[in-house]
């Protein structure tokens, strides 16, 4: 099918495929950041049940290093803040990619006479929707 397309349509189709790949990569990064955020929030919740005098360790590479309660809590607070910003940024990026995909898909459909749902179906780039 692609061999019979005009060069402009072929270029738009390639852009659609690139956007689909980008959307999948963003979705994977967002899932990873959300998982890390959940883990950090769970760790903060666990700190609420721990006595402040308890000996604690944090992981630094392959080592566990002794740390105090306040430092552990501060580090986790910073990590949660950072990950919340990362997830928010990835959600915005995901939305922008989705909008670009839909716009390009509409252009391609118009160029080809308006038929069909596009190369990835009605669900958008790779079916990677949802918030």
């Amino acid at each position: 099918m692609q061999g019979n397309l005009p060069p402009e349509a072929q270029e738009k189709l390639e852009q659609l495929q690139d956007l689909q790949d980008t959307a999948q990569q963003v979705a994977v990064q967002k899932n990873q950041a959300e998982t890390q955020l959940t883990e950090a929030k769970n760790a903060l919740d666990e700190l609420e049940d721990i006595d402040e005098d308890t000996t604690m360790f944090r992981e630094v590479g392959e080592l566990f290093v002794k740390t105090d309660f306040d430092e552990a809590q501060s580090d986790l607070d910073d990590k949660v803040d950072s990950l919340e910003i990362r997830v928010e940024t990835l959600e915005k990026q995901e939305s922008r990619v989705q909008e670009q995909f839909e716009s390009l898909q509409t252009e391609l459909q118009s160029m080809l006479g308006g038929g069909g749902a596009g190369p990835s179906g009605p669900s958008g780039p790779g079916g990677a929707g949802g918030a």
Side-chain angles (χ1 to χ4, degrees), residues 16 19 97-107 124-125:
L16 271 176
L19 282 173
V97 170
Q98 179 69 28
E99 289 169 11
Q100 290 174 338
F101 183 89
E102 290 170 0
S103 173
L104 197 55
Q105 189 175 37
T106 301
E107 286 179 40

Side-chain angles (χ1 to χ4, degrees), residues 65-85:
V65 179
K66 189 175 180 177
T67 188
D68 64 17
F69 183 90
D70 291 334
E71 184 178 350
Q73 188 170 31
S74 176
D75 288 349
L76 283 170
D77 282 332
D78 290 346
K79 186 173 186 173
V80 166
D81 291 342
S82 172
L83 286 167
E84 285 174 341
I85 291 168

